[in-house]
Amino acid sequence: PGPLIEDIQHTPKVPTDTDDLRITARVRSTFQPVAGVTLRYRILFGAETGIPMWDDGTHGDGAAGDGLYGATLPADLASPGQMIRYRVVATDTAGATSRWPLFPNPVASPEYLGTIVQPTNLVTGLPVFHLFVAPNQLAGIDSESGGRVSLFLDGELYDNAYMELRGNTSAGLNKKSHRLEFNRGHELRHPGPGGKVRKSALLAEYLDPTYL
């Protein structure tokens, strides 16, 4: 294995469109010394870009040489309401690499950590589900074959969750209901009483107006 990556944090938790996003990660050697750490990020579903993370005491990383690496994404990279996702990659002097999140299974694990830029067109006391769907997944989530989505709720990003069409007679209506299934170990922290859940649904109110 490559270096050990742990304790990844980003601040602010939900940046405004004028806030830089600072990301830190603690990286420790396993069998060989750490040679370098890279932050790989993408805005919405754009191309992934990499920048170095530093342990020099000048990148929001604490003291130089303390094993805490930092990098900053400038505020002008993303607009209000847009999603910012990232992963950390570490390499040792023998060329072995590691990453976090691990992403061992493309259909059962998150690929990225992340957040969104605070929307400026929304003022409400209600819970807001921010749903992000790549263009090549749109057809899948509106069918029983399903697709992968990212969902942001209450300061937490749920990346690479599963979503599919829900219902039988209602499946042909213009406003559709959908079933959500979250990855094990990263279940939905639902807005309300009770613990985390792996499965939930977004119900359209076409047939029953008591659903919200």
Side-chain angles (χ1 to χ4, degrees):
L4 178 66
I5 305 170
E6 55 189 355
D7 193 25
I8 300 177
Q9 305 284 341
H10 67 256
T11 54
K13 293 295 290 182
V14 184
T16 69
D17 62 341
T18 59
D19 289 329
D20 295 338
L21 185 68
R22 189 179 71 215
I23 299 164
T24 59
R26 191 164 297 281
V27 182
R28 295 190 286 125
S29 61
T30 50
F31 294 95
Q32 302 294 334
V34 178
V37 181
T38 302
L39 178 71
R40 305 285 303 178
Y41 72 90
R42 61 194 303 190
I43 308 301
L44 291 177
F45 301 102
E48 192 179 83
T49 303
I51 59 172
M53 300 184 75
W54 302 94
D55 182 17
D56 57 3
T58 63
H59 289 80
D61 56 296
D66 64 355
L68 186 67
Y69 289 75
T72 299
L73 300 180
D76 58 3
L77 284 178
S79 302
Q82 290 188 329
M83 175 176 60
I84 303 172
R85 293 183 295 169
Y86 62 87
R87 60 188 178 98
V88 175
V89 179
T91 306
D92 66 20
T93 54
T97 63
S98 55
R99 59 163 289 166
W100 192 268
L102 293 175
F103 196 46
N105 188 334
V107 294
S109 58
E111 185 175 5
Y112 296 98
L113 305 173
T115 185
I116 67 169
V117 180
Q118 183 68 49
T120 55
N121 62 340
L122 182 65
V123 179
T124 178
L126 296 173
V128 179
F129 291 74
H130 301 269
L131 187 65
F132 299 91
V133 187
N136 64 353
Q137 299 294 308
L138 286 171
I141 67 168
D142 272 347
S143 71
E144 292 184 352
S145 62
R148 313 304 295 188
V149 302
S150 295
L151 186 142
F152 187 83
L153 173 67
D154 193 25
E156 188 168 359
L157 180 74
Y158 301 89
D159 185 53
N160 202 37
Y162 176 77
M163 188 174 185
E164 70 175 13
L165 183 66
R166 182 184 189 276
N168 293 312
T169 58
S170 63
L173 299 178
N174 289 332
K175 192 170 186 179
K176 305 180 189 304
S177 297
H178 294 87
R179 188 173 72 85
L180 286 164
E181 185 170 327
F182 295 87
N183 297 310
R184 293 189 183 276
H186 201 194
E187 293 83 2
L188 175 66
R189 182 165 49 85
H190 204 275
K196 294 185 176 183
V197 296
R198 276 203 70 217
K199 297 180 180 180
S200 188
L202 303 177
L203 301 177
E205 75 279 10
Y206 253 39
L207 299 182
D208 187 346
T210 63
Y211 284 130
L212 297 178

Coordinates of all heavy atoms in Angstrom, one line a residue, residues 12-89:
P12 N -14.8 26.5 4.4 CA -16.0 26.3 5.2 C -16.7 25.0 4.7 O -16.5 24.5 3.6 CB -16.8 27.5 4.9 CG -16.0 28.5 4.1 CD -14.9 27.7 3.6
K13 N -17.6 24.5 5.6 CA -18.4 23.3 5.2 C -19.2 23.6 4.0 O -19.4 22.8 3.1 CB -19.3 22.9 6.4 CG -18.5 22.4 7.6 CD -17.8 21.2 7.3 CE -18.7 20.0 7.1 NZ -17.9 18.7 6.9
V14 N -19.9 24.8 3.9 CA -20.6 25.2 2.7 C -20.2 26.6 2.4 O -20.7 27.6 2.9 CB -22.2 25.2 3.0 CG1 -22.9 25.5 1.7 CG2 -22.6 23.8 3.5
P15 N -19.2 26.7 1.4 CA -18.7 28.1 1.1 C -19.7 28.9 0.4 O -20.6 28.4 -0.3 CB -17.5 27.7 0.3 CG -17.9 26.4 -0.4 CD -18.6 25.7 0.7
T16 N -19.6 30.2 0.5 CA -20.3 31.2 -0.3 C -19.5 31.4 -1.6 O -18.4 30.9 -1.8 CB -20.5 32.5 0.4 OG1 -19.2 33.2 0.5 CG2 -21.1 32.3 1.8
D17 N -20.0 32.1 -2.5 CA -19.3 32.3 -3.8 C -18.1 33.2 -3.7 O -17.4 33.5 -4.7 CB -20.3 32.8 -4.9 CG -20.9 34.2 -4.5 OD1 -20.8 34.6 -3.4 OD2 -21.4 34.9 -5.4
T18 N -17.8 33.8 -2.5 CA -16.6 34.6 -2.3 C -15.6 33.9 -1.3 O -14.6 34.4 -1.1 CB -17.0 35.9 -1.6 OG1 -17.7 35.8 -0.4 CG2 -17.9 36.7 -2.6
D19 N -16.0 32.7 -0.9 CA -15.1 31.9 0.0 C -14.2 31.0 -0.8 O -14.6 30.2 -1.6 CB -15.9 31.1 1.0 CG -16.6 31.9 2.0 OD1 -16.1 32.9 2.4 OD2 -17.7 31.4 2.5
D20 N -12.9 31.0 -0.5 CA -12.0 30.0 -0.9 C -12.3 28.7 -0.1 O -12.8 28.8 1.0 CB -10.5 30.4 -0.7 CG -10.1 31.5 -1.5 OD1 -10.8 31.8 -2.6 OD2 -9.1 32.2 -1.2
L21 N -12.1 27.5 -0.7 CA -12.3 26.3 0.0 C -10.9 25.7 0.3 O -10.2 25.3 -0.5 CB -13.1 25.3 -0.9 CG -13.5 24.0 -0.3 CD1 -14.5 24.2 0.9 CD2 -14.1 23.0 -1.3
R22 N -10.7 25.5 1.6 CA -9.4 25.0 2.1 C -9.6 23.5 2.5 O -10.5 23.2 3.2 CB -8.8 25.8 3.3 CG -7.4 25.3 3.7 CD -6.9 26.2 4.8 NE -7.6 25.8 6.1 CZ -7.8 26.6 7.0 NH1 -7.5 27.9 6.9 NH2 -8.4 26.2 8.1
I23 N -8.7 22.7 2.0 CA -8.8 21.2 2.2 C -7.5 20.7 2.8 O -6.4 21.1 2.4 CB -9.1 20.5 0.9 CG1 -10.4 21.0 0.3 CG2 -9.1 19.0 1.1 CD1 -10.6 20.6 -1.1
T24 N -7.7 20.0 3.9 CA -6.5 19.4 4.6 C -6.6 17.9 4.7 O -7.8 17.4 4.8 CB -6.3 20.1 6.0 OG1 -7.5 19.8 6.8 CG2 -6.0 21.6 5.9
A25 N -5.5 17.2 4.8 CA -5.5 15.8 5.0 C -4.2 15.4 5.8 O -3.2 15.9 5.5 CB -5.6 15.1 3.7
R26 N -4.4 14.5 6.7 CA -3.2 14.0 7.4 C -2.7 12.8 6.7 O -3.5 11.8 6.4 CB -3.5 13.7 8.9 CG -2.3 13.4 9.7 CD -2.6 13.4 11.2 NE -3.0 14.8 11.6 CZ -2.2 15.8 11.8 NH1 -0.9 15.6 11.7 NH2 -2.7 16.9 12.2
V27 N -1.4 12.8 6.3 CA -0.8 11.7 5.5 C 0.4 11.2 6.2 O 1.3 11.9 6.6 CB -0.5 12.2 4.1 CG1 0.1 11.0 3.3 CG2 -1.7 12.8 3.4
R28 N 0.4 9.8 6.4 CA 1.6 9.2 7.1 C 2.2 8.1 6.3 O 1.5 7.5 5.5 CB 1.1 8.6 8.5 CG 0.6 9.7 9.5 CD 0.4 9.1 10.8 NE -0.8 8.3 10.9 CZ -0.8 7.0 11.3 NH1 0.3 6.4 11.6 NH2 -2.0 6.4 11.4
S29 N 3.4 7.9 6.4 CA 4.1 6.9 5.6 C 3.7 5.5 6.2 O 3.4 5.3 7.3 CB 5.6 7.0 5.7 OG 6.1 7.0 7.0
T30 N 3.8 4.5 5.3 CA 3.5 3.1 5.7 C 4.9 2.3 5.6 O 5.5 2.1 6.6 CB 2.5 2.4 4.8 OG1 2.8 2.7 3.4 CG2 1.1 3.0 5.1
F31 N 5.3 1.9 4.4 CA 6.5 1.2 4.2 C 7.7 2.1 3.7 O 8.8 1.8 3.9 CB 6.3 0.0 3.3 CG 5.5 -1.0 3.9 CD1 4.1 -1.0 3.6 CD2 6.0 -2.0 4.7 CE1 3.3 -2.0 4.1 CE2 5.1 -3.0 5.3 CZ 3.8 -3.0 5.0
Q32 N 7.3 3.2 3.0 CA 8.3 4.1 2.5 C 7.8 5.6 2.8 O 6.7 5.8 3.1 CB 8.4 4.0 0.9 CG 8.7 2.6 0.5 CD 10.1 2.2 0.9 OE1 11.0 3.0 1.1 NE2 10.4 0.9 1.0
P33 N 8.8 6.5 2.8 CA 8.4 7.9 3.1 C 7.5 8.5 2.1 O 7.4 8.0 0.9 CB 9.8 8.6 3.0 CG 10.8 7.6 3.3 CD 10.2 6.3 2.7
V34 N 6.7 9.5 2.5 CA 5.8 10.1 1.6 C 6.5 11.0 0.6 O 7.4 11.8 1.0 CB 4.8 11.0 2.4 CG1 3.8 11.8 1.4 CG2 4.0 10.2 3.4
A35 N 6.2 10.8 -0.7 CA 6.9 11.6 -1.7 C 6.0 12.8 -2.2 O 6.6 13.9 -2.5 CB 7.2 10.7 -2.9
G36 N 4.7 12.7 -2.2 CA 3.9 13.8 -2.6 C 2.4 13.5 -2.4 O 2.0 12.3 -2.3
V37 N 1.6 14.5 -2.3 CA 0.2 14.4 -2.1 C -0.5 15.4 -3.1 O -0.1 16.5 -3.2 CB -0.2 14.8 -0.6 CG1 -1.7 14.6 -0.4 CG2 0.6 14.0 0.4
T38 N -1.5 14.9 -3.7 CA -2.2 15.6 -4.7 C -3.7 15.7 -4.4 O -4.3 14.7 -4.0 CB -2.1 15.0 -6.1 OG1 -0.7 14.9 -6.4 CG2 -2.8 15.8 -7.2
L39 N -4.3 16.9 -4.6 CA -5.7 17.0 -4.5 C -6.3 17.0 -5.9 O -6.0 17.8 -6.8 CB -6.1 18.4 -3.9 CG -7.6 18.7 -3.7 CD1 -8.2 17.8 -2.7 CD2 -7.8 20.2 -3.4
R40 N -7.2 16.0 -6.2 CA -7.9 15.9 -7.5 C -9.3 16.4 -7.3 O -10.0 15.9 -6.4 CB -7.9 14.4 -7.9 CG -6.5 13.8 -8.0 CD -5.7 14.3 -9.1 NE -6.3 14.0 -10.4 CZ -5.8 14.4 -11.6 NH1 -4.6 15.0 -11.6 NH2 -6.5 14.2 -12.7
Y41 N -9.7 17.4 -8.0 CA -11.1 17.9 -7.9 C -11.8 18.1 -9.2 O -11.2 18.2 -10.3 CB -11.0 19.3 -7.1 CG -10.4 20.4 -8.0 CD1 -11.2 21.2 -8.7 CD2 -9.0 20.7 -8.0 CE1 -10.7 22.3 -9.5 CE2 -8.5 21.7 -8.8 CZ -9.3 22.5 -9.5 OH -8.8 23.5 -10.3
R42 N -13.1 18.3 -9.1 CA -13.9 18.6 -10.3 C -15.1 19.4 -9.9 O -15.6 19.3 -8.8 CB -14.3 17.3 -11.0 CG -15.2 16.4 -10.3 CD -15.3 15.0 -10.9 NE -15.8 15.1 -12.3 CZ -16.1 14.0 -13.0 NH1 -16.1 12.8 -12.4 NH2 -16.6 14.1 -14.2
I43 N -15.5 20.3 -10.8 CA -16.7 21.2 -10.5 C -17.9 20.5 -11.3 O -17.7 20.3 -12.5 CB -16.4 22.6 -11.0 CG1 -15.1 23.1 -10.4 CG2 -17.6 23.5 -10.7 CD1 -15.1 23.2 -8.9
L44 N -19.0 20.3 -10.6 CA -20.1 19.6 -11.3 C -19.6 18.3 -11.9 O -19.0 17.5 -11.3 CB -20.9 20.5 -12.2 CG -21.7 21.6 -11.6 CD1 -22.3 22.5 -12.6 CD2 -22.7 21.1 -10.6
F45 N -19.8 18.1 -13.2 CA -19.3 16.9 -13.9 C -18.3 17.3 -15.0 O -18.1 16.6 -16.0 CB -20.5 16.2 -14.6 CG -21.6 15.8 -13.5 CD1 -22.7 16.6 -13.4 CD2 -21.4 14.8 -12.7 CE1 -23.7 16.3 -12.5 CE2 -22.3 14.4 -11.8 CZ -23.5 15.2 -11.6
G46 N -17.5 18.3 -14.7 CA -16.4 18.7 -15.6 C -15.2 17.8 -15.4 O -15.2 16.9 -14.6
A47 N -14.2 18.1 -16.1 CA -12.9 17.3 -16.1 C -12.3 17.4 -14.7 O -12.3 18.4 -14.0 CB -12.0 17.7 -17.2
E48 N -11.6 16.3 -14.3 CA -10.9 16.3 -13.0 C -9.6 17.0 -13.2 O -8.9 16.9 -14.2 CB -10.7 14.9 -12.6 CG -10.2 14.7 -11.2 CD -10.0 13.3 -10.8 OE1 -8.9 12.7 -11.1 OE2 -10.9 12.7 -10.2
T49 N -9.2 17.8 -12.2 CA -8.0 18.6 -12.2 C -7.2 18.3 -10.9 O -7.8 18.1 -9.9 CB -8.3 20.1 -12.3 OG1 -9.1 20.4 -13.4 CG2 -7.0 20.9 -12.4
G50 N -5.9 18.3 -11.0 CA -5.0 18.0 -9.9 C -4.2 19.2 -9.5 O -3.6 19.9 -10.4
I51 N -4.0 19.4 -8.2 CA -3.1 20.4 -7.7 C -2.3 19.8 -6.5 O -2.9 18.9 -5.8 CB -3.8 21.7 -7.2 CG1 -4.8 21.5 -6.1 CG2 -4.4 22.4 -8.4 CD1 -5.4 22.7 -5.5
P52 N -1.1 20.2 -6.2 CA -0.4 19.6 -5.1 C -0.9 20.1 -3.8 O -1.4 21.2 -3.6 CB 1.1 20.1 -5.4 CG 0.9 21.4 -6.2 CD -0.3 21.2 -7.0
M53 N -0.8 19.2 -2.8 CA -1.0 19.6 -1.4 C 0.3 19.7 -0.7 O 1.3 19.0 -1.0 CB -1.9 18.6 -0.7 CG -3.3 18.4 -1.3 SD -4.4 17.3 -0.5 CE -4.9 18.3 1.0
W54 N 0.4 20.7 0.3 CA 1.7 21.0 0.9 C 1.7 20.8 2.4 O 0.7 21.0 3.0 CB 2.1 22.4 0.5 CG 2.2 22.7 -1.0 CD1 1.2 23.2 -1.7 CD2 3.3 22.5 -1.8 NE1 1.6 23.3 -3.1 CE2 2.9 22.8 -3.1 CE3 4.6 21.9 -1.6 CZ2 3.7 22.7 -4.2 CZ3 5.4 21.8 -2.7 CH2 5.0 22.2 -4.0
D55 N 2.8 20.5 2.9 CA 3.1 20.4 4.3 C 4.2 21.3 4.7 O 5.2 20.9 5.3 CB 3.4 19.0 4.8 CG 3.6 18.8 6.3 OD1 3.1 19.7 7.0 OD2 4.2 17.8 6.7
D56 N 4.1 22.6 4.3 CA 5.1 23.6 4.5 C 4.8 24.7 5.4 O 5.5 25.7 5.6 CB 5.6 24.2 3.1 CG 4.4 24.8 2.4 OD1 3.3 24.9 3.0 OD2 4.6 25.3 1.3
G57 N 3.6 24.6 6.0 CA 3.2 25.6 7.0 C 2.6 26.9 6.4 O 2.3 27.9 7.1
T58 N 2.5 27.0 5.0 CA 2.0 28.2 4.4 C 0.7 27.9 3.6 O 0.3 28.8 2.8 CB 3.1 28.8 3.5 OG1 3.4 27.9 2.4 CG2 4.3 29.1 4.3
H59 N 0.1 26.8 3.7 CA -1.0 26.4 2.9 C -2.2 26.0 3.8 O -3.0 25.1 3.4 CB -0.7 25.3 1.8 CG 0.2 25.8 0.7 ND1 1.5 25.9 0.9 CD2 -0.1 26.2 -0.5 CE1 2.1 26.3 -0.3 NE2 1.1 26.5 -1.1
G60 N -2.3 26.6 4.9 CA -3.4 26.3 5.8 C -3.2 24.9 6.4 O -4.2 24.3 6.8
D61 N -2.0 24.4 6.5 CA -1.7 23.1 6.9 C -1.1 22.9 8.3 O -0.6 21.9 8.6 CB -0.8 22.4 5.9 CG 0.5 23.2 5.7 OD1 0.5 24.3 5.2 OD2 1.6 22.7 6.0
G62 N -1.2 24.0 9.1 CA -0.6 24.0 10.4 C 0.9 24.2 10.3 O 1.4 24.9 9.5
A63 N 1.7 23.5 11.1 CA 3.1 23.6 11.2 C 3.8 22.8 10.0 O 3.3 21.8 9.6 CB 3.7 23.2 12.5
A64 N 4.9 23.3 9.6 CA 5.6 22.6 8.5 C 6.2 21.3 9.0 O 6.7 21.2 10.1 CB 6.8 23.5 8.0
G65 N 6.0 20.3 8.2 CA 6.5 18.9 8.5 C 5.8 18.2 9.6 O 6.3 17.2 10.1
D66 N 4.5 18.6 9.8 CA 3.7 17.9 10.9 C 2.8 16.8 10.3 O 2.1 16.2 11.1 CB 2.9 18.9 11.7 CG 1.8 19.6 10.8 OD1 1.8 19.4 9.6 OD2 1.0 20.3 11.4
G67 N 2.9 16.5 9.0 CA 2.1 15.5 8.4 C 0.7 15.9 8.0 O 0.0 15.1 7.4
L68 N 0.4 17.2 8.2 CA -0.9 17.7 7.7 C -0.7 18.5 6.5 O 0.1 19.5 6.4 CB -1.5 18.6 8.8 CG -2.9 19.1 8.5 CD1 -3.9 17.9 8.5 CD2 -3.4 20.1 9.5
Y69 N -1.3 18.0 5.4 CA -1.1 18.6 4.1 C -2.4 19.5 3.7 O -3.5 19.1 4.1 CB -1.0 17.6 3.0 CG 0.4 16.8 3.1 CD1 0.6 15.9 4.0 CD2 1.4 17.1 2.1 CE1 1.8 15.2 4.1 CE2 2.6 16.4 2.2 CZ 2.8 15.5 3.2 OH 4.0 14.9 3.2
G70 N -2.1 20.6 3.0 CA -3.2 21.5 2.7 C -3.2 22.0 1.3 O -2.1 22.1 0.7
A71 N -4.3 22.4 0.8 CA -4.5 23.0 -0.5 C -5.7 23.9 -0.5 O -6.6 23.6 0.3 CB -4.5 22.0 -1.7
T72 N -5.8 24.9 -1.4 CA -6.9 25.8 -1.4 C -7.4 25.9 -2.8 O -6.7 26.1 -3.8 CB -6.5 27.2 -0.9 OG1 -6.0 27.1 0.5 CG2 -7.7 28.2 -1.0
L73 N -8.8 25.8 -2.9 CA -9.5 26.0 -4.2 C -10.0 27.4 -4.2 O -10.8 27.7 -3.3 CB -10.6 25.0 -4.4 CG -10.1 23.5 -4.4 CD1 -11.4 22.6 -4.6 CD2 -9.1 23.3 -5.5
P74 N -9.7 28.3 -5.1 CA -10.2 29.7 -5.1 C -11.6 29.8 -5.3 O -12.3 28.9 -6.0 CB -9.4 30.3 -6.2 CG -8.9 29.2 -7.1 CD -8.8 28.0 -6.2
A75 N -12.2 30.8 -4.8 CA -13.7 31.0 -4.9 C -14.2 31.1 -6.3 O -15.4 30.7 -6.6 CB -14.1 32.3 -4.1
D76 N -13.4 31.6 -7.2 CA -14.0 31.8 -8.6 C -14.0 30.5 -9.4 O -14.4 30.5 -10.6 CB -13.1 32.8 -9.3 CG -11.7 32.4 -9.5 OD1 -11.3 31.3 -9.0 OD2 -10.9 33.3 -10.0
L77 N -13.7 29.3 -8.8 CA -13.8 28.1 -9.6 C -15.2 27.6 -9.8 O -15.6 27.0 -10.7 CB -13.0 27.0 -8.9 CG -11.5 27.0 -9.0 CD1 -10.9 25.9 -8.2 CD2 -11.1 26.9 -10.4
A78 N -16.1 28.0 -8.8 CA -17.5 27.5 -8.9 C -18.5 28.6 -8.5 O -18.1 29.5 -7.8 CB -17.7 26.3 -7.9
S79 N -19.7 28.5 -9.0 CA -20.7 29.5 -8.9 C -21.7 29.0 -7.8 O -21.8 27.8 -7.5 CB -21.4 29.7 -10.2 OG -20.5 30.2 -11.2
P80 N -22.6 29.9 -7.3 CA -23.6 29.5 -6.3 C -24.4 28.3 -6.8 O -24.9 28.3 -8.0 CB -24.4 30.8 -6.2 CG -23.5 31.9 -6.4 CD -22.6 31.4 -7.5
G81 N -24.6 27.3 -6.0 CA -25.4 26.2 -6.3 C -24.6 25.0 -6.9 O -25.2 23.9 -7.1
Q82 N -23.4 25.3 -7.4 CA -22.6 24.2 -8.0 C -21.9 23.3 -7.0 O -21.6 23.7 -5.9 CB -21.6 24.9 -9.0 CG -22.2 25.5 -10.2 CD -21.1 26.0 -11.2 OE1 -20.0 26.3 -10.8 NE2 -21.5 25.9 -12.5
M83 N -21.7 22.1 -7.4 CA -21.1 21.1 -6.6 C -19.6 21.1 -6.8 O -19.1 21.1 -8.0 CB -21.7 19.7 -7.0 CG -21.1 18.5 -6.3 SD -21.9 17.0 -6.7 CE -21.7 16.9 -8.4
I84 N -18.8 20.9 -5.7 CA -17.3 20.8 -5.8 C -17.0 19.4 -5.2 O -17.4 19.2 -4.0 CB -16.6 21.9 -5.0 CG1 -17.0 23.2 -5.5 CG2 -15.1 21.7 -5.1 CD1 -16.5 24.4 -4.6
R85 N -16.4 18.5 -5.9 CA -16.0 17.2 -5.4 C -14.5 17.1 -5.5 O -13.9 17.6 -6.4 CB -16.7 16.1 -6.2 CG -18.2 16.1 -6.0 CD -18.8 14.9 -6.7 NE -18.7 15.0 -8.1 CZ -19.0 14.1 -9.0 NH1 -19.3 12.9 -8.6 NH2 -18.8 14.3 -10.3
Y86 N -13.9 16.3 -4.6 CA -12.5 16.1 -4.5 C -12.1 14.7 -3.9 O -12.9 14.1 -3.2 CB -11.8 17.2 -3.8 CG -12.2 17.3 -2.3 CD1 -11.5 16.6 -1.3 CD2 -13.3 18.1 -1.9 CE1 -11.9 16.6 0.0 CE2 -13.6 18.2 -0.5 CZ -12.9 17.4 0.4 OH -13.3 17.5 1.7
R87 N -10.9 14.3 -4.2 CA -10.3 13.1 -3.6 C -8.8 13.4 -3.4 O -8.2 14.3 -4.0 CB -10.5 11.9 -4.5 CG -9.8 12.0 -5.9 CD -10.2 10.8 -6.7 NE -9.6 10.9 -8.1 CZ -8.5 10.3 -8.5 NH1 -7.8 9.5 -7.6 NH2 -8.1 10.4 -9.7
V88 N -8.2 12.7 -2.5 CA -6.8 12.9 -2.1 C -6.0 11.7 -2.6 O -6.4 10.6 -2.3 CB -6.6 13.2 -0.6 CG1 -5.1 13.3 -0.3 CG2 -7.4 14.5 -0.2
V89 N -4.9 11.9 -3.2 CA -4.0 10.9 -3.7 C -2.6 11.1 -3.1 O -2.1 12.2 -3.2 CB -3.9 10.8 -5.3 CG1 -3.0 9.7 -5.7 CG2 -5.3 10.7 -5.9

